[in-house]
Amino acid sequence: MTAILQVRDLVAGYEPGLDIVRGCSIRADTQEIVVILGPNGAGKSSLIKAIAGLVPVTGGQVLLDGQDITATPAHLMVRRGLAFVPQTDNIFPLLTVEENLRVAGGLPPRPESAPRIDPMFALFPDLARQRRLPAGSLSGGQRQMLAVARALIVHPRVLMLDEPSAGLSPKFVEMVFARLAEIRRSGLTIVLVEQNAKAALSIGDRAYVLVEGRAAHEGPARSLWDDPVIAELYLGQRRAS
Amino acid sequence: MNLQFLADGLITGSLIGLGAIGVTLTYSILRFSNFAHGDLMAWGAYAALTLLGLISALVGSVAPIGVLSFGWPLILAAGLSMALVGGMALVLDWLLFARLRAKGQAIIVVMASFGASMALRSLLEFIFTSKPAYFSRAIQMAMPVGLGIRVTPDQIVLLLVTLALVVAMHLFMERSQTGREMRAYSQNPALARVVGIDVARIVRATWMIGGGLACAAGVMVGILVQIRPLMGLDMLLPMFAAAILGGIGSIPGAVLAGLIIGLSESAAVQLVGAEWRAGVAFAILMGVLLIRPTGLFGVAER
Ligand SMILES: Nc1ncnc2c1ncn2[C@@H]1O[C@H](COP(=O)(O)OP(=O)(O)OP(=O)(O)O)[C@@H](O)[C@H]1O
Ligand SMILES: [Mg+2]
């Protein structure tokens, strides 16, 4: 197994002198689903935003397939093969569903991009029916699918998702996660930040628990779920649900 | 009642609408009110005047096209000026606005645009004096077109040119990749970066288009009325009123609102007197802000 994404001692924060990510190291191997868990405010979102070039990085390194992509301007990340689905506001509500897909950077112009669109609609048939409607009219689950579809359409090597299950009904959570497991089989590496530890660990291969901006624990997804110490410390309340 | 106001209002209104496209784009994409937008119009008119002089010096006098008051040299000069003013807007952004935008306070950028507006206007007065100038000395006869309305050939042609520019602009925003990216960016700048949209390119496109259209409007006002350093300032309030009435970010909205304002203005001139003209845009602006701040086609800010 070779690491496609390697994060070494990453330090990042929104304001100078106020580090949120404090020397975090994680890695993701080819075709792996890596889950990142952790209490609220641990810096999970900040970590993947820093990897995506959206939070100023002051130390450490991000390597994608051995290439240093630390602090590459965010809009170029997609072209390097790193796609990111933010936690909230991850679609353009006034653009149609299809426009949301076509606006993805790095897509070739019209005639060549058409064959990219249809597979997305095949993957998420709900979206196909509404392709000409404003994305703002979609349900929460459909928006999440659209955001994932837009990330996939550029054929990334690594897909990072920030809480794709947030605010979704259990039925949709199952559906989104089933899709992710399916997508992974096509050769994609997935980094998944989740509050819904149970669902995430059930499809994940490996997991990290992030505490105060650092990866405090690492292990196979299954054993993390079974580890009583970690369960109590960081996943406690959620385990009951 | 004399229906002449319909023709006058339609023509003024279409020019207001054309200028308002730039205002609404800068507002929705760069997120500030550019008070220097009117001065880009005036600079556009003077740029075309200067280029026209150069072309005439090179090729001698050229007969006007058909019944129009101008020939191909003015069309060429106008086209070149549109590119020049677009470029000038880029330079202005690079020199001034981009630096202030990076600091993140919209009000400072707005104030800077006030300053830029005054500087640009004074510069025009300094170079060209405040005496009105004309592209052509020829007097055009207005032709009756029925219902007691009279229009000049220039007016008809420029109305059609405006219409063509508006349609082209609309298609550009709706159909082209850059247009889609501009709309996406105006809705959510942070997400635009995430999905791989090059923000710098969007900003450049916005200035080029806004500057180019302002220049086109300025040249047309110059053809139909006259060229003065203050011509842009006079258009500023109606253009802002149109951008806001139409709904910020909406190009069809800006154009329709421009027509409404133009027609209201000329109706007011006829009904209550010319001194009320400027008050109309102001009254419409206040009314919209109080009753429907999102305008005709606008959507509420998230
Ligand atoms: N845009 C921002 N500007 C300044 N500080 C921020 C910003 N976003 C987050 N923070 C701070 O960074 C810290 C970590 O937040 P972050 O959102 O990364 O945590 P998280 O682990 O994703 O939490 P959650 O589980 O609630 O999503 C918090 O203290 C938060 O206040
Ligand atoms: Mg978060």
Side-chain angles (χ1 to χ4, degrees):
Chain A
M1 275 292 167
T2 48
I4 177 112
L5 180 70
Q6 183 129 36
V7 178
R8 288 193 194 132
D9 305 318
L10 198 67
V11 181
Y14 301 89
E15 284 149 51
L18 205 71
D19 296 337
I20 305 290
V21 178
R22 301 190 185 95
C24 186
S25 299
I26 63 166
R27 67 160 222 284
D29 293 335
T30 307
Q31 253 188 309
E32 206 181 17
I33 297 186
V34 172
V35 179
I36 298 177
L37 303 167
N40 286 106
K44 304 183 294 293
S45 297
S46 305
L47 170 64
I48 55 173
K49 285 197 306 202
I51 297 173
L54 294 163
V55 176
V57 171
T58 50
Q61 256 190 329
V62 180
L63 303 176
L64 185 70
D65 211 2
Q67 210 188 355
D68 192 337
I69 57 160
T70 321
T72 296
H75 75 272
L76 296 177
M77 288 293 189
V78 171
R79 291 166 177 83
R80 301 278 168 90
L82 183 75
F84 170 47
V85 177
Q87 185 169 353
T88 52
D89 289 331
N90 52 20
I91 54 150
F92 299 105
L94 301 178
L95 263 53
T96 66
V97 168
E98 187 173 334
E99 284 176 330
N100 263 275
L101 296 178
R102 294 189 36 200
V103 87
L107 265 194
R110 182 72 120 143
E112 296 97 278
S113 72
R116 297 274 194 106
I117 307 247
D118 293 335
M120 292 303 133
F121 286 140
L123 193 62
F124 301 107
D126 265 25
L127 299 179
R129 282 189 283 281
Q130 316 202 43
R131 64 196 288 170
R132 310 229 178 277
L133 295 182
S137 66
L138 298 179
S139 73
Q142 292 169 335
R143 285 172 188 230
Q144 211 57 260
M145 291 177 211
L146 178 57
V148 172
R150 189 199 45 231
L152 290 175
I153 202 171
V154 294
H155 296 175
R157 285 182 285 177
V158 177
L159 172 65
M160 302 195 294
L161 302 121
D162 196 353
E163 301 204 23
S165 77
L168 299 191
S169 66
K171 193 190 101 209
F172 264 122
V173 173
E174 203 177 305
M175 146 96 187
V176 168
F177 279 41
R179 282 283 176 280
L180 291 180
E182 200 174 300
I183 291 160
R184 174 262 291 272
R185 263 177 254 125
S186 70
L188 192 73
T189 303
I190 297 177
V191 177
L192 181 62
V193 166
E194 260 303 338
Q195 291 279 354
N196 190 337
K198 186 171 186 187
L201 290 176
S202 73
I203 63 159
D205 299 310
R206 246 167 0 94
Y208 292 90
V209 178
L210 209 68
V211 182
E212 292 180 358
R214 261 189 220 96
H217 296 273
E218 182 205 341
R222 271 253 67 80
S223 72
L224 205 67
W225 179 247
D226 293 330
D227 187 327
V229 179
I230 289 171
E232 191 164 327
L233 268 176
Y234 306 115
L235 318 171
Q237 324 89 315
R238 277 178 267 287
R239 185 147 188 194
S241 64
Chain B
M1 179 171 173
N2 186 344
L3 292 178
Q4 182 62 35
F5 84 94
L6 285 176
D8 297 344
L10 209 58
I11 287 152
T12 325
S14 66
L15 295 176
I16 294 173
L18 196 59
I21 292 177
V23 172
T24 210
L25 281 182
T26 354
Y27 199 112
S28 67
I29 292 176
L30 308 171
R31 294 178 184 251
F32 78 102
S33 314
N34 179 17
F35 287 108
H37 194 76
D39 302 287
L40 294 179
M41 280 179 64
W43 271 81
Y46 277 103
L49 185 67
T50 309
L51 286 172
L52 181 65
L54 281 177
I55 296 171
S56 305
L58 284 176
V59 301
S61 81
V62 175
I65 300 167
V67 287
L68 301 179
S69 72
F70 56 87
W72 66 261
L74 181 55
I75 298 172
L76 178 64
L80 293 174
S81 306
M82 283 172 71
L84 277 179
V85 175
M88 179 180 149
L90 282 183
V91 171
L92 204 60
D93 187 59
W94 171 75
L95 266 180
L96 187 65
F97 299 136
R99 289 157 208 262
L100 297 172
R101 235 187 356 259
K103 296 193 175 145
Q105 271 185 300
I107 188 68
I108 295 180
V109 191
V110 174
M111 288 303 150
S113 81
F114 251 122
S117 166
M118 280 192 279
L120 288 174
R121 204 176 329 134
S122 304
L123 213 54
L124 277 185
E125 288 185 318
F126 179 73
I127 303 172
F128 296 98
T129 78
S130 45
K131 217 169 68 169
Y134 300 86
F135 286 119
S136 154
R137 287 279 162 196
I139 305 283
Q140 272 211 313
M141 293 304 288
M143 317 174 294
V145 289
L147 300 171
I149 301 173
R150 303 172 72 86
V151 292
T152 65
D154 278 4
Q155 288 176 323
I156 295 174
V157 166
L158 294 188
L159 193 62
L160 293 176
V161 170
T162 307
L163 188 71
L165 283 174
V166 167
V167 170
M169 193 55 219
H170 182 69
L171 289 177
F172 171 80
M173 290 302 283
E174 292 298 318
R175 303 281 170 81
S176 76
Q177 181 68 3
T178 306
R180 255 192 304 278
E181 290 180 356
M182 287 170 73
R183 282 185 290 140
Y185 182 78
S186 78
Q187 285 170 47
N188 189 338
L191 183 60
R193 291 207 293 153
V194 169
V195 308
I197 293 172
D198 182 354
V199 173
R201 203 170 67 84
I202 297 305
V203 170
R204 283 198 301 274
T206 306
W207 282 116
M208 290 293 294
I209 292 168
L213 292 181
C215 171
V219 171
M220 293 199 246
V221 172
I223 294 172
L224 296 176
V225 192
Q226 56 183 198
I227 308 166
R228 290 179 306 126
L230 288 180
M231 64 195 282
L233 188 66
D234 293 344
M235 291 277 281
L236 193 65
L237 183 61
M239 286 191 300
F240 266 89
I244 290 167
L245 173 59
I248 286 300
S250 167
I251 288 175
V255 175
L256 182 65
L259 292 177
I260 293 174
I261 288 166
L263 286 168
S264 317
E265 277 189 359
S266 45
V269 169
Q270 193 172 11
L271 294 174
V272 287
E275 67 275 23
W276 292 93
R277 170 170 224 133
V280 172
F282 186 69
I284 291 177
L285 182 61
M286 293 311 285
V288 179
L289 288 176
L290 289 173
I291 297 163
R292 190 178 156 81
T294 54
L296 296 173
F297 296 107
V299 278
E301 284 274 322
R302 270 165 307 120

